[in-house]
Amino acid sequence: MQALLNTAIQAARKGGDLAIREFSRIDRLDVRSKARNEFVTQVDLAAEQQIIETIRRRYPDHAFLGEESGLSGQGDHVWIIDPLDGTTNFIHGFPVFSVSIALKVRGTLEAGVIYDPCRQELFTGIRGSGAQLDGRRIRVSRQVSVEGALIGTGFPYRSNLRWGKPYLAMLGSVMQEAAGIRRPGSAALDLAYVAAGRLDGFWEFGLSTWDIAAGALMIQEAGGLVSDLVPGDPWLDSGNLVAGTPKVHDALLKMLRPHLPEPA
Ligand code: IPD
Ligand code: CA
Ligand code: CA
């Protein structure tokens, strides 16, 4: 598994380096709209291509699920790639974005890499072997309550705007308890921060599998918990998830779920 992870690290660094080179000249970026308030740049496309090429050269039989290019190939090994998580930040010159790469083997998440090219921080995780930041073991924080906690989140927008009302009620509840709430704009990095103990908990609706696969594995490997925000709605498919230290995760679930709409 370490050899597979090393290839993913190499690919993530290449993708991140490409993004950082272009970040210094974003005024010349060709930004296209995929949907309302959803943008793609040549950086997303080129980084994804470069990541896939790097991994494919080493593992020609593996399959890829990339945000920009969709599913290609088939087999037991599937690489799940978000080449630029935080595109809205990127095109505004707001320096919070990341590259996220996860590996699923026969349906199980086995390894993940999240690279922050602005801080040059590399988060990694291998199932059963723990999570690391720049080669050093990381663990979730010791926080046991939402009171005093720093919680990450993402606001519903675009297609997940339908969660707007329950989300605002949830935000109201967490605001009254937590020490602070952050919405940095790269879900993959938010999850890596939970794994590293920089955030104590996190919740968001409507994420995609490439936003969360690598980060969720890291949280689990760092001693935290990840689960379905909406009961019976598996988080890796629905993208509706709660995460945190074991106690903060449980407390958040208790606080958030009462605001969910009644099931239809
Ligand atoms: C987005 C970021 C953001 C989250 C959005 C994602 P993108 O990814 O992760 O934090 O709130 O839901 O779509 O589009 O920049 O790759
Ligand atoms: Ca993303
Ligand atoms: Ca993306």
Side-chain angles (χ1 to χ4, degrees):
M1 195 50 63
Q2 188 62 47
L4 289 151
L5 185 76
N6 289 345
T7 304
I9 290 172
Q10 199 193 352
R13 285 194 189 278
K14 276 193 188 173
D17 290 350
L18 189 150
I20 233 36
R21 275 198 305 276
E22 297 301 320
F23 194 57
S24 56
R25 41 185 189 229
I26 44 167
D27 48 322
R28 277 176 276 164
L29 264 188
D30 173 20
V31 180
R32 267 167 283 159
S33 180
K34 290 204 268 194
R36 187 166 172 262
N37 283 335
E38 184 168 10
F39 305 101
V40 63
T41 69
Q42 68 267 41
V43 177
D44 301 69
L45 302 169
E48 182 162 314
Q49 230 174 13
Q50 201 165 65
I51 291 165
I52 293 178
E53 271 167 24
T54 305
I55 301 174
R56 191 171 269 152
R57 220 172 295 134
R58 188 82 205 276
Y59 300 105
D61 301 334
H62 289 186
F64 296 87
L65 174 62
E67 177 177 10
E68 308 305 337
S69 57
L71 186 63
S72 57
Q74 53 184 2
D76 287 347
H77 293 72
V78 184
W79 295 91
I80 303 170
I81 300 161
D82 190 337
L84 181 54
D85 186 54
T87 297
T88 306
N89 283 347
F90 184 82
I91 62 184
H92 284 84
F94 190 101
V96 178
F97 47 88
S98 62
V99 179
S100 176
I101 304 176
L103 175 64
K104 241 187 188 181
V105 184
R106 286 180 284 280
T108 303
L109 285 173
E110 294 289 354
V113 175
I114 295 170
Y115 181 54
D116 171 353
C118 295
R119 287 178 189 73
Q120 299 185 350
E121 287 187 324
L122 181 80
F123 300 86
T124 55
I126 293 183
R127 175 168 304 282
S129 302
Q132 302 190 314
L133 163 54
D134 292 333
R136 288 213 181 130
R137 186 76 190 253
I138 46 174
R139 298 205 54 85
V140 294
S141 77
R142 299 209 175 115
Q143 186 66 28
V144 293
S145 60
V146 175
E147 189 185 326
L150 187 61
I151 305 293
T153 187
F155 305 136
Y157 69 131
R158 306 197 298 228
S159 58
N160 55 16
L161 254 180
R162 65 196 172 90
W163 292 106
K165 238 182 166 178
Y167 179 84
L168 286 177
M170 292 173 175
L171 189 62
S173 295
V174 179
M175 263 166 66
Q176 286 174 42
E177 287 283 319
I181 302 179
R182 300 288 180 266
R183 197 292 188 240
S186 166
L189 214 47
D190 295 341
L191 295 175
Y193 276 25
V194 173
R198 293 175 178 177
L199 289 171
D200 304 303
F202 175 84
W203 91 101
E204 187 164 346
F205 285 103
L207 289 164
S208 297
T209 199
W210 42 77
D211 300 319
I212 53 184
L217 174 70
M218 284 174 206
I219 293 176
Q220 291 166 340
E221 287 301 318
L225 296 177
V226 181
S227 68
D228 310 334
L229 183 48
V230 182
D233 203 5
W235 57 266
L236 192 55
D237 300 324
S238 67
N240 304 326
L241 88 171
V242 180
T245 74
K247 291 246 162 78
V248 171
H249 161 276
D250 293 355
L252 273 178
L253 263 188
K254 230 188 217 167
M255 201 174 267
L256 301 176
R257 278 191 173 160
H259 297 296
L260 287 170
E262 290 291 325

